[in-house]
Amino acid sequence: MFHMGWFLSYAVQAWRAPFSGRAETDWKDPGLYVDAARALERAGFDYMMFEDGSFIPDAFGGSAKWSLANAMTAPKHDPLALVATVGAATSRIGLIATITTTFYPPFLAARLLTTLDHLTEGRCGLNLVTSHNVRTAQNYGLDEQIEHDRRYAIADEWMDAVSALWDCWDDDALVMDHETGVFADHTKVRHADFAGEYFRTRGPLNVPPGPQRRPVVCQAGGSPAGREFGARHADTIIAQAYSVADMKAYRADIDARAAAAGRDPKDVKVLFLATFTFGDSEERAREKARAKEAAAAAAIEPKLASLSFASGIDFGAFPLDEPLPEIRTNAAQSVTALHLRGTEGMTLREIAARRMTGAVEFTGTPDGVAAQMGEAMAEAGGDGFLVQAPITRRIVAEVADGLAPALRRRGLVRDGYAHPTFRENLLAF
């Protein structure tokens, strides 16, 4: 069996796309995400992961015009608030919100995530990012973004500080004895007294541990520094790959890094981003995939905007019909490198005509796709897939009511949850 998750944004969902409802206003309605979470919970999904960013992209074209006109990653709500809302409406699915280790003080983060773990009864997780964009740095008071690998050194220490705060309370610190009038035993609550190069925090937290004590940690870095960080700290990793061969190589790399860090690689669940094209027949699905591919190849501006978003470099400033110069960035290095892999000597127009999702693609009937997923996972040796798609009711239904039953019939995904907490279900297989 393998695990399933959904990668989504608390932002405008598929604006102007067919069958997206009133996307221009629905994205603000928590009911859209509650409905999706309930459907995915019925389908046995491990988690929903809400990505985030603290800026409006303005690299492409030198302004925010394109991103705001096309609702590309902006406007966007803070996903942490959504966890409590969706958690109250569900009972088993894990809920992961993105948080930046570069700009969230450890005490604030540890307390907030512990609170959400209580509110969701042990189903909270945090996706750790180091915030790649210079505009994010400026929004938090810096002139320039911190150098890439140093951001991961900060993230390492951030995890140590947060973990120290999560460990301030003993498991039996809560006495709650009505006869003696003692609620908590002060001898079992201690200071963190953490002092590092980047963070200092006294502690203790003024909230006892949640049901998981340590919420599930998710991470998506693809650079060497990001992979090293994920192998040391993450319970689940979001991975980008274009092929089964890429998946296999990534899994082997994480296994080696986790073992070197003294961890059992089986405790690090790697889920690969995946996109889907479904049809009532294999031929109809292939027709739809060809139409999507042709439309994507013709959509030059969105590709350039995506590259600009990841790199922080204005790709609209390069001539379309000349070879692209070497690109170096302090922003999202692994995503930029993945999109530009194998493009030496190509013109920017040729590069922009290629697919640029960073996800494994599956095409066919729900049962045919289920078979493909099973074969891919058996060969790659990963732990599951993360659906990369906007939250629209039609897309959710295709996955939850079409694909998931086909996967279940093949014994590839769970049929119900054996445990009450997110981490227990994640480690169940």
Side-chain angles (χ1 to χ4, degrees):
M1 287 201 298
F2 54 75
H3 300 271
M4 290 292 294
W6 196 297
F7 181 99
L8 62 115
S9 173
Y10 195 8
V12 182
Q13 302 290 321
W15 185 55
R16 299 179 66 208
F19 303 102
S20 61
R22 297 177 59 186
E24 63 273 17
T25 56
D26 284 351
W27 73 276
K28 297 181 291 184
D29 180 2
L32 177 68
Y33 308 95
V34 167
D35 288 348
R38 286 172 168 166
L40 298 179
E41 189 170 69
R42 290 195 300 271
F45 269 52
D46 282 77
Y47 60 82
M48 299 172 72
M49 199 291 288
F50 300 88
E51 64 83 33
D52 194 25
S54 298
F55 70 102
I56 296 177
D58 64 356
F60 182 55
S63 81
K65 178 181 177 180
W66 199 93
S67 61
L68 288 175
N70 292 276
M72 183 186 116
T73 79
K76 181 194 294 286
H77 283 312
D78 190 312
L80 285 159
L82 190 61
V83 169
T85 301
V86 176
T90 54
S91 61
R92 285 293 181 269
I93 192 168
L95 302 168
I96 299 175
T98 297
I99 196 166
T100 171
T101 57
T102 309
F103 300 113
Y104 267 70
F107 189 93
L108 172 66
R111 184 177 185 233
L112 179 57
L113 272 299
T114 297
T115 298
L116 288 173
D117 202 44
H118 281 291
L119 294 178
T120 60
E121 298 182 304
R123 293 182 292 120
C124 178
L126 61 157
N127 175 48
L128 299 180
V129 298
T130 63
S131 294
H132 73 267
N133 197 277
V134 66
R135 297 295 183 237
T136 301
Q138 291 167 348
N139 286 339
Y140 285 102
L142 302 182
D143 292 328
E144 296 293 336
Q145 182 56 281
I146 298 165
E147 188 274 329
H148 178 275
D149 285 6
R150 185 168 174 241
R151 296 200 302 269
Y152 277 103
I154 292 170
D156 258 327
E157 188 175 292
W158 188 94
M159 272 302 306
D160 291 340
V162 168
S163 296
L165 289 164
W166 282 332
D167 288 339
C168 285
W169 290 63
D170 288 347
D171 289 335
D172 58 351
L174 290 181
V175 178
M176 297 181 289
D177 191 322
H178 282 253
E179 291 190 9
T180 63
V182 176
F183 185 86
D185 184 347
H186 76 284
T187 68
K188 297 182 179 182
V189 182
R190 67 191 64 81
H191 299 152
D193 286 333
F194 182 89
E197 181 180 354
Y198 305 105
F199 300 107
R200 293 174 61 87
T201 181
R202 177 179 182 271
L205 285 184
N206 57 344
V207 59
Q212 299 181 107
R213 177 171 284 276
R214 165 186 156 124
V216 167
V217 175
C218 175
Q219 202 269 338
S223 67
R227 293 187 188 201
E228 195 69 23
F229 179 81
R232 282 198 298 270
H233 300 293
D235 301 299
T236 181
I237 290 178
I238 300 167
Q240 292 185 305
Y242 281 134
S243 66
V244 173
D246 287 346
M247 292 168 59
K248 191 171 185 175
Y250 189 99
R251 175 75 254 190
D253 184 58
I254 293 298
D255 283 355
R257 293 176 188 270
R263 300 185 65 193
D264 184 344
K266 293 179 181 178
D267 291 341
V268 184
K269 304 301 182 182
V270 177
L271 271 64
F272 294 94
L273 290 172
T275 60
F276 302 90
T277 303
F278 296 109
D280 294 334
S281 67
E282 295 293 332
E283 179 54 34
R284 177 57 183 147
R286 286 192 291 270
E287 288 175 5
K288 290 171 66 175
R290 286 191 291 268
K292 284 168 61 175
E293 186 175 344
I300 300 295
E301 276 199 339
K303 304 283 188 61
L304 300 182
S306 179
L307 283 166
S308 300
F309 171 83
S311 67
I313 297 168
D314 181 9
F315 273 73
F318 297 115
L320 278 173
D321 296 307
E322 295 180 12
L324 186 69
E326 182 180 5
I327 299 297
R328 294 182 181 275
T329 178
N330 185 41
Q333 292 183 356
S334 62
V335 175
T336 303
L338 183 70
H339 290 336
L340 296 179
R341 185 175 67 177
T343 61
E344 294 81 2
M346 294 175 63
T347 67
L348 184 55
R349 189 185 302 277
E350 291 169 334
I351 293 170
R354 307 192 320 168
R355 59 177 288 239
M356 208 172 284
T357 66
V360 183
E361 292 188 344
F362 295 101
T363 299
T365 64
D367 190 62
V369 168
Q372 295 169 39
M373 293 171 70
E375 292 167 2
M377 196 53 61
E379 183 176 345
D383 300 293
F385 293 101
L386 200 69
V387 179
Q388 185 176 38
I391 287 287
T392 69
R393 292 174 177 86
R394 177 170 179 162
I395 294 174
V396 171
E398 286 181 332
V399 173
D401 299 320
L403 176 61
L407 290 169
R408 195 174 299 116
R409 285 192 294 270
R410 292 175 174 270
L412 294 173
V413 297
R414 66 161 51 92
D415 185 9
Y417 301 85
H419 306 283
T421 71
F422 181 7
R423 173 173 282 100
E424 288 175 303
N425 285 313
L426 191 63
L427 293 176
F429 52 87

